[in-house]
Every structure is written in structure tokens, then in C-alpha cells.
Amino acid sequence: PKSGRRTGSGRGSPGGRSQKFQSTRPGLGTHNAAASAVAVRVLPLDRSVEPGKPFSVDVELRNADGKVVPEATVPVTLRAVTPGGSAAELQGTMKANPFDGMAHFEALVLPEGMQPEGVLLTATAPGLAPSPAVPLSGGEGNGSCPLQLVPKKLVISNAPAGAVPAGGAMLFEVKVVDDDGNLVTDGKPMVELKLAAGDGTLGGTLSAPAKGGVACFSWVTYDGTEPFAVKAVSDGLEPATLEQPIRVSSAPTESAGALSLKDAGGSFLGNAAQQNCDALPTDVVLLPLNAPVEAGKPFVVNGEIRSKTGEVVADASVPVTLKAVTKDKKPVPLSGTTTVWPFDGVVQFEDVTIPEDINPEDVLLTATAPGLAPSPGIPASGGAALDECPLEMKATQLAITVAPSGGVPIGATLVFEIRVLDDENNLITTGNPLVTLQLATGFGKLLGTVQVEAENGVALFNDIKYDGDSPFTVRVVSKGLRSATTGGAIRPGSAYSGLSGGSTLEGEGSVADADELDVDDTMEDESGVHILPPPPTCVRVVPLEESVQIAQPFIVEVQICSANGNVVKDAKAPVTLKCFKEDGTPVNLTGNCKVSASAGVAKFYGMAVMEAPEGLLLTATSPGLAPSPGVPLTGGDAVDFCPMKLVASALHIGAPLTGNEKVGQPIVFEVKIVDDEGNLVSDAEPVIMLQLARGKGNLGGTLKATAVNGVARFEDVTYDRRDPFTVTAVSDGLKPSTFPEAITLKPKDDFVVTDAGSVADEDAEEEEEAEPMVVSVVPLESAVQRGKPFAVDVELRDKEGNLLTDATPTVTVKAVKPDGTLVELFGKTKAKVEDGRAHFEGLTLQTLLLDDVFLVATGSGLESGRGVPVLGGPPPLLPEERVPAQLEIKAPREIELGSKMQVEVKVLDENGNLCVAADCPVQLEIAGGNGDLTGTISATAKDGVATFPEVQYTGNQPFGLMAHSANLSSGASEHLIEVRPTSRLNLDALKDEDKEDAKDSPGYTTDNPDTVRIETELSTPLSPILSKLSPDELDGFRRKFKAIDIDGDGFIMRHEVDRLYRTIFVELTEKELDDIFGEWDLDGNGLVSFEDFVKSQQIRRAVKVRELGRRGEMERRKQMPDPELQTDEFNFKPGLPLAKQFLIDGDSVKDYSVSASQAPSVVDEGSQHPTTPDRDDLITDEDMPIPDGDAPDREIQSVAEGKFLKDF
């Protein structure tokens, strides 16, 4: 069905739009299975286009059912072509982003002289099928696309994102496109999936025809444990490979073929205690056919996914496969669409065909889906369904389909659902085997009914409790069936198992739990050292590249960042976008303002505001994180404050526990101050205390701290007993927070088994620790290439560098970035050291950028050497080993006249890196200007930086700085330092109400309590010429000057004038450029100061006035009857009427003629200035000074070309 026609601007309500829904495909996360856009459609025009007159066009993005896809965001390009496919001319904007599923093109014009007959409109979008042609003469087209599309390459358009469960089912979608990315729907090339990298093999559906340009692989499995990548290939087409490897989240379950419905229907899962298991899907049911099937002719089959109560499960999201067998249960091949995903719980198989040599009277149809009972057979000849499935099935395995995930309260009732499946993951509803629930890992016991009989293939355990407080996993077993184990650990007492642990805030804005953040569990290397990824601390709105328009859609990107500003790529927290005025007043923002971040980034599409963007700021929030600084809707960098008003109301405590904490040893706790919505209040600095909430012992260490930037950190908290305990954070006026997990410490005298097999005291081992051993990666001889295998050698040495040939520890090679972030390294990364060396072969890296990736080696009890760059070469020098070579100055851009400034000079090596060990003396010198330096002008570098806290400059002209040190290259300031004069006003001269305002101004300081500083706009004292300009004129000239002064050094140079003329598409010859620059450079020193600029513009205006007056007088005399008057010497008079009729560069001219006796030279310091400036005119009516002499023609021409003086 087609959507309803839209008229007008295309912003009306969409007619016939499909219902929006979200479902989950295996391994793909959230995905809209039925509503994905597959094609663009140009809506037919209501009437014929008239040449030379504007018209508009609407283009819709539709799914396979022909319905509009409101979420579609791909850019759409409109094309005008002839019936033969060649391009036709059409004026206007031909590219637009869709809003609410439609791209709107306005103000399109068919050039005059062209006729609409024979011109067709089509549209394209990356990865979508082009639109059929629509004639400009109005009416429907012939239904075909006039573009000649040639298939060239493959594109993997849908693939799992993030981690997938081991052995779980995955969906891949591959599109056939041309060189421009347009979907090519003709033909059905066969596409194959192959493994590009990884340690396992692919299984399931690995070849499929591209129907309508799309090949769907609905059931793909992977049996490896390392990250892997896939590629799509087809004869004659350029293959496609996934850019990012797919991670495997956990080891396969004991049942190799077992399937958890969390893979195939994750939308049903969550906290199992809150699930209604009766609403889960259990059966696939095919609906009887309306008419008998004819062999060789296509037919349609409909089906439903139902729960155990017989209700249709609208949220079901498992692939359903249609199958056919004869009445004696022999398989019958089917062609057409035989595997589909449900929409609103309903499936439809189209264009299904039974072979011509098969009699439909003998055929039964059924359907299967992972984890569900197959459909009873329906006769292909029509009639009612049978009572049973015609397929032969046998129970072989168990699958855990419902289980708790993440943290659960201690002692809470837990729910588990187990299903009995065959080897193809079909639910077996017969037999009713006895199923037992067992503890797989953990130190407690399972309580409740742990043994039940499977009813219709489903065993439900709904009263299970766990009496321990440590993480645990559960196994299910049944006689003769393969067992299954829960994939992730269940954590008692942890409602928030994210980066910092900690309690959950109440209400809608609660702190996100681990499932929302999707942060990897704590990693541990072989030495037992726990490595936590950088925790997220704030959200940041990416500045907009250009100003938004009223009611026009725009896109916003928000990043979740750590304290160092890097994006936390594992974060998947919910993010809310908000808009405020600068005073904190909220502004309505239309569109979906709340999305979940993926890979640390949240994108908001189709956002819009309904008022002017000036003065509006965007911000973003996420529970437990600091809100984003405001980003102007007019474009540009973010401001330095958050426009949203945050009020601290509660505390949130967390601790990065590793499980190895011991009695009496320090434990780190972190307490955040948050508002009612869970946002971090970074400007709150209350005093926070830690108290014992549960436990028989005593807390020690620092138990009182002041929050800094909204966070209080307690580094050395201790507890003196082994019994479980918890801690509460309190602060006056704020809601307290208790750490939810019961913390159990290990005894200080733990015993460990040594390598020799004897039992030794751990502390004693530490006291008798052997000489440290260092494991290092040998520098690579050649650079590593992405996706290609390489070899690595590792050496084991002592501190003196001697090779240790007797030790045989196991070492691991890792790829890291300078900030410690791990990079996926494929291949066998562990090996045993023999004769002091370990060799690794077949390693590969799939990351795109390798220039900041290093290889390091680690091992239990070993020290790691320096990282080796994967692009080859020796390890980089440590900061303390860098050799000083040059100096770098950091100075302010401007200072107040007579004030002191702080200057920093850094000591750098030849590569620009800071030399932290440098302690050389540094001397400052003046460069340029008209004064001297006083105060602190010599200092010694400390940690590579020399600080000059009180440097004073005695002049008033711009100046530079130089820094010198023996044997080092001198450093110079990157810019001239402007001198801003100031004056002070006595407060006694002000009224009482004004005095308070003055004291609140930035110019008031307690050092001078009786005066307030008044700043001027000029960088030097006013000259006689500038002092006679009005403030508005001075401001106008200054804005023009700054616009031309590109580098902001206070002077206009020759190349800046050339660049200015190029921006208005005027190419100047060298002579013309010399002439124009010479008109500005009045003193001929090669620099145009601000005063030179003002004078030159006044001269330019005066010349124009004189020329206009001359022309007006000549025209007036031509009309005089007396020839003598016509030839008489000009006598300029005010009020010449004909002067108004002349145009220069399209500007209407007023009566600018004045008397010659009233024309003193503008170069004279005493010249007058225009007193009533008008921005719409290049000059005013009164008191305009005119220089002596005639106006050169080149001057008039440059005025015409230099119309920018008005535009600026």
C-alpha cells in the first residue's frame, strides 16, 4: 500500500504511515525489522511545471511494504533526466535530508526555453533503490527508473553491533550497489559470507541470492571465542568486509547447540523476577490457506507467533522458516521467501512455489522458529490444520530462555525458564522430561523448587532464592539431554554493577545499571592486576557546524566522555537532549529527545526548534554524569557553562572493587553529588562523611572529605574484620547513599600454592621476592598492516639487561594505546618463555588507525617493558629521557596598559615533546613595541616549564616576546601582544544605586576599592583622526578591519587584501594589487594599521563624492542654453538634482556634491568627518571632506570592485 499524498510544504501529517515499533534480532541489538527503508519514491506532481517558475517536489523513503519510514535519515538526491537516462538541467537545491520520512525540495526551476515534456524526475539515496521516474508535465510515470545502474560492489548494511553470545544466532544483510552507492535491484546474484578473521568457523546460512538487491543471511553462527570479522563475496562484484570486528561475549554453553531466547528474542528478557512468562512466545502457527496451491505457481502463506495462552505476541522477534514435507514426511523443496521476521507477531511468506513435479495434494506445510514449537501441518491443497507437526523431531538439549541478568537484591525470588529443544532449536512439546536446576559457580546454595517437570517443553522455576552474597551462575540438567548454563554471572546485592558499583537512585532519572552502560567487566591480567576501563564522567554535545533554521530538522551528536575528555566507547547510557536560553529558561525542542548511546555516542535525528536560534543553547544529561556545557544553536564552540540549573539533592556511592581486597588494606570509595534526575552537580563542594552501615568491625583511614567538582574520593578506607560490611555516605541537606553490595575481605595471611607445589605464606613471598624480571617486545623490523598477519618476539631480561634463560613463565602480548586503552589483537597471544624468548606468529590487527598503537608484553610477577610501536622503530623515549632542543612561549594575546602578565616557557625536544627533566635557566626579552620589560624576566625551568609570574611592559604599542637559554633554540611568541588602555572612574562620582553595580563589574577589585576600571575598545590611545569619529563609526570601521585582518596581528598585509578580493571573485593583477594596497598603506611601511585603514576609507569616500559631483555638474551644463556656461569652469554647488540619477555598482546615489571651498584635505589631521553615518550608503550628506585633485579612473573602478566595504 502507498502512503497518502502530501501537498504544500510536505510538513503535514503523513498519511498511511506504518506503525513504529522496535524489535531485537539476534546479535544485532535494537533493530526495526519490518520498517527499514529500502527505496525512495518521488511523489507525482499535481500539474505540469512552467519554465522559469519555481515548484516543489516531495520524496518519500519507504520500506518493503511501500510505507513511509519516519526514522530514515539517509540524504536524498533529486535528479532530472531525459527518458534515455542523460542528465537534464534543473536549477535549485538538489540534495536534502529527510524529516519524518520525507525529503522536501523547494524553489526548483526549469530553465526558460526548456519544455517539461520529456524531462523526468527521479531520486537516489545511498543503499536504497532509486525512485521510478515522475514526468515534469504532471501525472504518474511508467513505473521504471530511467537511470542506468550497473552493479559494482557489495555493502554489508546490517551486522551485529558490539558483542554477541558464543554460538548465538546472528543476522547479516548485504546489498548490491553501484559506484554511487545506489541499490541495484535487477538480477539475483548469489552472495556468500566468509570468515575474514577469527579462530573459529561460521555456520548456518552462508549463501543467499540478492533479491531486490538485498541478500539476507538470517541464521549465522560462530563457534570461536576470539573477535572475528566476516566478508561478503559474489562473482564479478567488489567484496565487502566488516570494518569493526565482532566480539564474543562469553564462552559457549555446555550445550553446543543450545540457544537462549536472549539471543533470538532479547526483548522478552531483563530482570526475570519481573517477567510474565505466560506472555512469552511458545508456538508458531500457520493459518490455513484460502485456496488450494497449484504446482509451479506462487502463493502466499500467513502465520502467527503465539504464547502458551494462545495470544499473538506482538513483540516477538525470532526468524521464522517455512518448510514443506510430503505426507510420508519426505522434505519438499520450496522456492521464494521462506525465512522472514515477524511484524506485530505476524509473518507472511510471499512468492512461495512448490516444484511442478510435486502434487500439492500430498504436501503439508509447517514453520519453525528457534526456541518455539513448530506449527501443526496445514495441507497445501487447502482445508483445516492438522493436530500435530509433520516434522520428525527429537529432544536433544536444554536452553535457558529466562534468567536474571546483572544485579539482583540479596534474598530476592528469582525466576528461570528452561526449554527442551532438538538439534535445530525447535521446541519439543512432548515427553515432559524432569529438569533440575543446579549451582554452577558460587559459594551459596539454591533454595526453593529446584526440580520440575517440563510441561509442553517448558520448565518454569519461579521460587528460586540464593543464600550467598557472591556472584553465581546456574546450570540446568536432564537425563539424556545436553545441559545449559547461564552466560553471565548473577550478582546479589548489586542493583548497579557498572564501573563504580554503588547504589541506585530512585525515580525516573536513576543511575544507569550495568546493562544500560554495557561496560565490560573488570579485566585481570596474569599478574592478578585488575584493569578497569576509564569510567564515564560527563556528557558532551558536539558543537554544530552551522546555525540551525527555525522549524528545519538538524542532527545533534552527544558523546559520553571520561575525565580526560576521551569518548568511553563501551558506554551505552541513556542520554537526554535539552535546550535552554542563556538565563536558564527551558525551550521546547521537538523530536526524540531521549536515546541510548551506542559505542559512547548518542545521535539525535530530526530535531527542530520553533523559535529563533540566537541565544539558545543545547545541553545533554545522563544519569550519574555531569551535564554538557551549552552549545549554541547558531554554531560555534561550546560555552564554558551548562545552561541548566542543577540543585544538589542526593549522594551516590560507588567503589571499584576487584575481589582481592584484604583486611586492613586500603579500599577506594567514590561519592558523587547528584540532583533529583541523577545528574552530577559538578559545582557542589559539600563535606561528606563515611559511616559503617553494616558490620561488626571498625572503619579506619580517611572518612571525611570535601567534594571537588561534585565528587569526593576516599583513597585509604580500611576495615579490621572479615565479616561482610557495607558503608553509607552522608552529608548535611543531601539524601544519604549506601553501598549496596556486602563487602567481604580476604584475610591478610592468605596462603598460596607456589610454582614448586609447596604452600607458602603470601606476605613471606613478598618479603623474599626475587630479583625483578622484565618482559619486553622486540622492536618490529617493518610496519604492521591492517588485517595482515605478523610475528612478534618477546625477551625476558633482568634489570641489568641480561637475558634470563632459566625462567619459563607464560607471557601475553597485548596491543594498547598511549592512554592504556586495549586494542583487539587477533591470534594466539599467550606463549611460554624458553631460553629467555617467546615467539608469536599469525597475529593480526583490525583497527583502522595504527599510528598510536603499541605492543606490550605482560606476565605474572613480571614487569612490562616499554611499548613498541606497531609501525616499526624503537620504543619512544620516556619523558625524563628526552633531550632539550628548543623553547616555546605561552603568553596572553592582550594585556592592560601598565598591568602585569604571566608568561610560561616550555623546554621541548626536537619533536615538540616536553622535557620534564630539564632545569635550565631561561631569559625573556622584548621583541618590537615601544617599551621595555620589567619584573620577573629570568627563571629556571622546573619539570620542563619556566614560569614568569610578574612580567610588566612599559609601552603602549603591540609587542612580542623572545625566550633564550644556552644551547637551545630560542622561542618567540606566536602573536603580537596587544596593549589595551584602561581608565578608572572614582566611585564617589556615581549615584548610590550605580555604585553597587560598579562593584559587581569585572573592573572592580579590592586593591583599588575607591575606583572601578573602564575599558576602551581601542588597543592604543585615540589619535586626532580617530577621536573625531562617533562610537558607531569607530565600531563599524573596527569590525571591517578585523574581518580583513585574518591572522589578527593588528595589521593588514598585502596577501590579506589579495585574499579579500578573491572572496568576491575578483582576480587582481600584481599592479592592481600594488595600487590598491598602496592606497591603504599611507605611510608606505608595508603594514596597514587601523588608523591607516580609517584614513584610506575616508579618502575613498571623498574621491567618490567628487567624481559624482563632477558628473552631475556636466549633465546640468549640457542642458543650459548658453554655450559659454557649458564650457565655463566647474563651480560645484550643493543640491544638484541630476546627480541622483547616476549609479555606481548598482547603488543609488544621493546629492553628494559640495563646494570646492568646503573641501579641506582628508589627510590633514584637522579634517572633518561624516556626522550622520548611514549603513545603506557609502557616504553621508553633510561635511564630507574632499581631497584636492581629480579622481583617477582606477579609484572609481576599485570602489565598484570593493563593494565589500559596504557588505562588511
Side-chain angles (χ1 to χ4, degrees), residues 410-437:
I410 295 178
T413 300
L414 310 177
V415 177
F416 296 85
E417 186 193 77
I418 315 301
R419 299 197 179 192
V420 183
L421 308 177
D422 66 1
D423 284 334
E424 296 185 357
N425 297 316
N426 297 308
L427 182 66
I428 307 300
T429 58
T430 59
N432 299 338
L434 194 64
V435 181
T436 303
L437 201 66

mmCIF file of all heavy atoms in Angstrom, residues 410-437:
data_model
loop_
_atom_site.group_PDB
_atom_site.id
_atom_site.type_symbol
_atom_site.label_atom_id
_atom_site.label_comp_id
_atom_site.label_asym_id
_atom_site.label_seq_id
_atom_site.Cartn_x
_atom_site.Cartn_y
_atom_site.Cartn_z
ATOM 1 N N ILE A 410 19.731 -9.145 47.400
ATOM 2 C CA ILE A 410 20.049 -10.320 48.196
ATOM 3 C C ILE A 410 18.753 -10.922 48.729
ATOM 4 O O ILE A 410 17.902 -10.226 49.277
ATOM 5 C CB ILE A 410 20.994 -9.961 49.353
ATOM 6 C CG1 ILE A 410 22.350 -9.496 48.789
ATOM 7 C CG2 ILE A 410 21.194 -11.130 50.304
ATOM 8 C CD1 ILE A 410 23.340 -9.066 49.840
ATOM 9 N N GLY A 411 18.596 -12.229 48.557
ATOM 10 C CA GLY A 411 17.410 -12.910 49.056
ATOM 11 C C GLY A 411 16.186 -12.782 48.183
ATOM 12 O O GLY A 411 15.110 -13.261 48.561
ATOM 13 N N ALA A 412 16.284 -12.139 47.017
ATOM 14 C CA ALA A 412 15.122 -11.947 46.157
ATOM 15 C C ALA A 412 14.709 -13.265 45.507
ATOM 16 O O ALA A 412 15.526 -14.176 45.311
ATOM 17 C CB ALA A 412 15.423 -10.916 45.078
ATOM 18 N N THR A 413 13.420 -13.373 45.183
ATOM 19 C CA THR A 413 12.911 -14.537 44.471
ATOM 20 C C THR A 413 13.272 -14.409 42.989
ATOM 21 O O THR A 413 13.003 -13.389 42.363
ATOM 22 C CB THR A 413 11.391 -14.652 44.639
ATOM 23 O OG1 THR A 413 11.082 -14.785 46.032
ATOM 24 C CG2 THR A 413 10.856 -15.864 43.881
ATOM 25 N N LEU A 414 13.865 -15.459 42.444
ATOM 26 C CA LEU A 414 14.340 -15.447 41.071
ATOM 27 C C LEU A 414 13.506 -16.402 40.225
ATOM 28 O O LEU A 414 12.989 -17.405 40.727
ATOM 29 C CB LEU A 414 15.816 -15.846 41.004
ATOM 30 C CG LEU A 414 16.762 -15.101 41.958
ATOM 31 C CD1 LEU A 414 18.170 -15.649 41.836
ATOM 32 C CD2 LEU A 414 16.728 -13.620 41.686
ATOM 33 N N VAL A 415 13.402 -16.077 38.942
ATOM 34 C CA VAL A 415 12.622 -16.883 38.004
ATOM 35 C C VAL A 415 13.544 -17.381 36.893
ATOM 36 O O VAL A 415 14.325 -16.603 36.334
ATOM 37 C CB VAL A 415 11.456 -16.065 37.404
ATOM 38 C CG1 VAL A 415 10.709 -16.892 36.374
ATOM 39 C CG2 VAL A 415 10.510 -15.597 38.500
ATOM 40 N N PHE A 416 13.437 -18.672 36.594
ATOM 41 C CA PHE A 416 14.166 -19.276 35.479
ATOM 42 C C PHE A 416 13.174 -20.037 34.611
ATOM 43 O O PHE A 416 12.283 -20.722 35.121
ATOM 44 C CB PHE A 416 15.257 -20.244 35.972
ATOM 45 C CG PHE A 416 16.354 -19.579 36.756
ATOM 46 C CD1 PHE A 416 16.210 -19.363 38.116
ATOM 47 C CD2 PHE A 416 17.511 -19.166 36.134
ATOM 48 C CE1 PHE A 416 17.215 -18.751 38.842
ATOM 49 C CE2 PHE A 416 18.523 -18.555 36.853
ATOM 50 C CZ PHE A 416 18.372 -18.345 38.216
ATOM 51 N N GLU A 417 13.321 -19.909 33.272
ATOM 52 C CA GLU A 417 12.515 -20.693 32.348
ATOM 53 C C GLU A 417 13.455 -21.507 31.473
ATOM 54 O O GLU A 417 14.402 -20.970 30.898
ATOM 55 C CB GLU A 417 11.636 -19.803 31.469
ATOM 56 C CG GLU A 417 10.686 -20.619 30.606
ATOM 57 C CD GLU A 417 10.037 -19.785 29.511
ATOM 58 O OE1 GLU A 417 10.712 -19.505 28.511
ATOM 59 O OE2 GLU A 417 8.858 -19.435 29.662
ATOM 60 N N ILE A 418 13.178 -22.815 31.383
ATOM 61 C CA ILE A 418 14.022 -23.728 30.631
ATOM 62 C C ILE A 418 13.166 -24.356 29.534
ATOM 63 O O ILE A 418 12.006 -24.735 29.769
ATOM 64 C CB ILE A 418 14.606 -24.843 31.541
ATOM 65 C CG1 ILE A 418 15.131 -24.240 32.852
ATOM 66 C CG2 ILE A 418 15.676 -25.619 30.798
ATOM 67 C CD1 ILE A 418 16.201 -23.194 32.671
ATOM 68 N N ARG A 419 13.739 -24.483 28.324
ATOM 69 C CA ARG A 419 13.014 -25.111 27.223
ATOM 70 C C ARG A 419 13.769 -26.338 26.709
ATOM 71 O O ARG A 419 15.011 -26.359 26.697
ATOM 72 C CB ARG A 419 12.784 -24.115 26.089
ATOM 73 C CG ARG A 419 11.951 -22.919 26.538
ATOM 74 C CD ARG A 419 11.369 -22.144 25.398
ATOM 75 N NE ARG A 419 10.570 -21.021 25.900
ATOM 76 C CZ ARG A 419 9.750 -20.291 25.166
ATOM 77 N NH1 ARG A 419 9.616 -20.555 23.872
ATOM 78 N NH2 ARG A 419 9.054 -19.311 25.692
ATOM 79 N N VAL A 420 12.997 -27.315 26.259
ATOM 80 C CA VAL A 420 13.545 -28.553 25.701
ATOM 81 C C VAL A 420 13.532 -28.416 24.181
ATOM 82 O O VAL A 420 12.472 -28.183 23.579
ATOM 83 C CB VAL A 420 12.712 -29.768 26.147
ATOM 84 C CG1 VAL A 420 13.332 -31.053 25.617
ATOM 85 C CG2 VAL A 420 12.606 -29.809 27.667
ATOM 86 N N LEU A 421 14.707 -28.576 23.555
ATOM 87 C CA LEU A 421 14.842 -28.326 22.123
ATOM 88 C C LEU A 421 15.446 -29.527 21.421
ATOM 89 O O LEU A 421 16.075 -30.398 22.048
ATOM 90 C CB LEU A 421 15.739 -27.101 21.885
ATOM 91 C CG LEU A 421 15.403 -25.807 22.631
ATOM 92 C CD1 LEU A 421 16.434 -24.755 22.312
ATOM 93 C CD2 LEU A 421 14.007 -25.326 22.278
ATOM 94 N N ASP A 422 15.295 -29.534 20.081
ATOM 95 C CA ASP A 422 16.015 -30.518 19.281
ATOM 96 C C ASP A 422 17.292 -29.878 18.747
ATOM 97 O O ASP A 422 17.642 -28.750 19.111
ATOM 98 C CB ASP A 422 15.132 -31.065 18.160
ATOM 99 C CG ASP A 422 14.768 -29.999 17.131
ATOM 100 O OD1 ASP A 422 15.211 -28.831 17.280
ATOM 101 O OD2 ASP A 422 14.041 -30.324 16.179
ATOM 102 N N ASP A 423 17.982 -30.581 17.841
ATOM 103 C CA ASP A 423 19.253 -30.060 17.339
ATOM 104 C C ASP A 423 19.071 -28.801 16.499
ATOM 105 O O ASP A 423 20.021 -28.040 16.306
ATOM 106 C CB ASP A 423 19.978 -31.134 16.520
ATOM 107 C CG ASP A 423 20.617 -32.187 17.414
ATOM 108 O OD1 ASP A 423 20.924 -31.855 18.581
ATOM 109 O OD2 ASP A 423 20.788 -33.327 16.964
ATOM 110 N N GLU A 424 17.871 -28.574 15.967
ATOM 111 C CA GLU A 424 17.613 -27.387 15.168
ATOM 112 C C GLU A 424 16.911 -26.302 15.988
ATOM 113 O O GLU A 424 16.340 -25.365 15.433
ATOM 114 C CB GLU A 424 16.777 -27.753 13.938
ATOM 115 C CG GLU A 424 17.507 -28.686 12.987
ATOM 116 C CD GLU A 424 16.707 -28.938 11.727
ATOM 117 O OE1 GLU A 424 15.569 -28.435 11.628
ATOM 118 O OE2 GLU A 424 17.217 -29.645 10.843
ATOM 119 N N ASN A 425 16.941 -26.455 17.311
ATOM 120 C CA ASN A 425 16.416 -25.465 18.254
ATOM 121 C C ASN A 425 14.893 -25.335 18.190
ATOM 122 O O ASN A 425 14.344 -24.298 18.561
ATOM 123 C CB ASN A 425 17.054 -24.089 18.032
ATOM 124 C CG ASN A 425 18.539 -24.111 18.293
ATOM 125 O OD1 ASN A 425 18.990 -24.688 19.284
ATOM 126 N ND2 ASN A 425 19.298 -23.521 17.393
ATOM 127 N N ASN A 426 14.210 -26.368 17.733
ATOM 128 C CA ASN A 426 12.756 -26.367 17.780
ATOM 129 C C ASN A 426 12.296 -26.837 19.155
ATOM 130 O O ASN A 426 12.873 -27.762 19.742
ATOM 131 C CB ASN A 426 12.175 -27.291 16.707
ATOM 132 C CG ASN A 426 12.527 -26.817 15.312
ATOM 133 O OD1 ASN A 426 12.315 -25.664 14.969
ATOM 134 N ND2 ASN A 426 13.079 -27.724 14.498
ATOM 135 N N LEU A 427 11.248 -26.221 19.667
ATOM 136 C CA LEU A 427 10.702 -26.602 20.967
ATOM 137 C C LEU A 427 10.005 -27.952 20.851
ATOM 138 O O LEU A 427 9.153 -28.160 19.976
ATOM 139 C CB LEU A 427 9.711 -25.537 21.449
ATOM 140 C CG LEU A 427 9.078 -25.765 22.819
ATOM 141 C CD1 LEU A 427 10.137 -25.679 23.902
ATOM 142 C CD2 LEU A 427 7.967 -24.754 23.072
ATOM 143 N N ILE A 428 10.348 -28.881 21.746
ATOM 144 C CA ILE A 428 9.757 -30.222 21.762
ATOM 145 C C ILE A 428 8.699 -30.241 22.854
ATOM 146 O O ILE A 428 9.028 -30.146 24.047
ATOM 147 C CB ILE A 428 10.830 -31.307 22.006
ATOM 148 C CG1 ILE A 428 11.971 -31.157 20.998
ATOM 149 C CG2 ILE A 428 10.200 -32.687 21.933
ATOM 150 C CD1 ILE A 428 11.543 -31.295 19.566
ATOM 151 N N THR A 429 7.472 -30.345 22.474
ATOM 152 C CA THR A 429 6.367 -30.233 23.436
ATOM 153 C C THR A 429 5.928 -31.581 24.000
ATOM 154 O O THR A 429 5.020 -31.634 24.833
ATOM 155 C CB THR A 429 5.165 -29.560 22.758
ATOM 156 O OG1 THR A 429 4.770 -30.318 21.614
ATOM 157 C CG2 THR A 429 5.537 -28.147 22.325
ATOM 158 N N THR A 430 6.545 -32.660 23.562
ATOM 159 C CA THR A 430 6.165 -33.992 24.059
ATOM 160 C C THR A 430 7.246 -34.531 24.968
ATOM 161 O O THR A 430 8.396 -34.091 24.936
ATOM 162 C CB THR A 430 5.945 -34.958 22.884
ATOM 163 O OG1 THR A 430 7.152 -35.052 22.108
ATOM 164 C CG2 THR A 430 4.815 -34.461 21.987
ATOM 165 N N GLY A 431 6.888 -35.512 25.778
ATOM 166 C CA GLY A 431 7.867 -36.201 26.609
ATOM 167 C C GLY A 431 7.905 -35.726 28.046
ATOM 168 O O GLY A 431 8.092 -36.512 28.960
ATOM 169 N N ASN A 432 7.787 -34.422 28.291
ATOM 170 C CA ASN A 432 7.786 -33.852 29.646
ATOM 171 C C ASN A 432 8.924 -34.377 30.527
ATOM 172 O O ASN A 432 8.706 -34.991 31.573
ATOM 173 C CB ASN A 432 6.450 -34.124 30.338
ATOM 174 C CG ASN A 432 5.282 -33.504 29.593
ATOM 175 O OD1 ASN A 432 5.468 -32.568 28.823
ATOM 176 N ND2 ASN A 432 4.087 -34.024 29.822
ATOM 177 N N PRO A 433 10.196 -34.151 30.125
ATOM 178 C CA PRO A 433 11.311 -34.644 30.941
ATOM 179 C C PRO A 433 11.427 -33.877 32.260
ATOM 180 O O PRO A 433 10.951 -32.745 32.399
ATOM 181 C CB PRO A 433 12.530 -34.396 30.045
ATOM 182 C CG PRO A 433 12.120 -33.248 29.186
ATOM 183 C CD PRO A 433 10.655 -33.413 28.944
ATOM 184 N N LEU A 434 12.109 -34.511 33.237
ATOM 185 C CA LEU A 434 12.358 -33.891 34.537
ATOM 186 C C LEU A 434 13.618 -33.035 34.432
ATOM 187 O O LEU A 434 14.671 -33.519 34.017
ATOM 188 C CB LEU A 434 12.537 -34.976 35.600
ATOM 189 C CG LEU A 434 12.482 -34.505 37.066
ATOM 190 C CD1 LEU A 434 11.105 -33.956 37.405
ATOM 191 C CD2 LEU A 434 12.840 -35.655 38.007
ATOM 192 N N VAL A 435 13.538 -31.761 34.802
ATOM 193 C CA VAL A 435 14.649 -30.803 34.676
ATOM 194 C C VAL A 435 15.081 -30.365 36.063
ATOM 195 O O VAL A 435 14.235 -30.044 36.919
ATOM 196 C CB VAL A 435 14.239 -29.580 33.831
ATOM 197 C CG1 VAL A 435 15.409 -28.613 33.695
ATOM 198 C CG2 VAL A 435 13.749 -30.022 32.459
ATOM 199 N N THR A 436 16.394 -30.338 36.293
ATOM 200 C CA THR A 436 16.948 -29.978 37.602
ATOM 201 C C THR A 436 17.806 -28.733 37.468
ATOM 202 O O THR A 436 18.620 -28.615 36.541
ATOM 203 C CB THR A 436 17.796 -31.122 38.173
ATOM 204 O OG1 THR A 436 16.986 -32.302 38.249
ATOM 205 C CG2 THR A 436 18.320 -30.776 39.557
ATOM 206 N N LEU A 437 17.650 -27.814 38.424
ATOM 207 C CA LEU A 437 18.422 -26.575 38.483
ATOM 208 C C LEU A 437 19.544 -26.760 39.484
ATOM 209 O O LEU A 437 19.305 -27.161 40.637
ATOM 210 C CB LEU A 437 17.507 -25.423 38.907
ATOM 211 C CG LEU A 437 17.933 -24.005 38.566
ATOM 212 C CD1 LEU A 437 17.929 -23.796 37.065
ATOM 213 C CD2 LEU A 437 16.987 -23.007 39.232
#
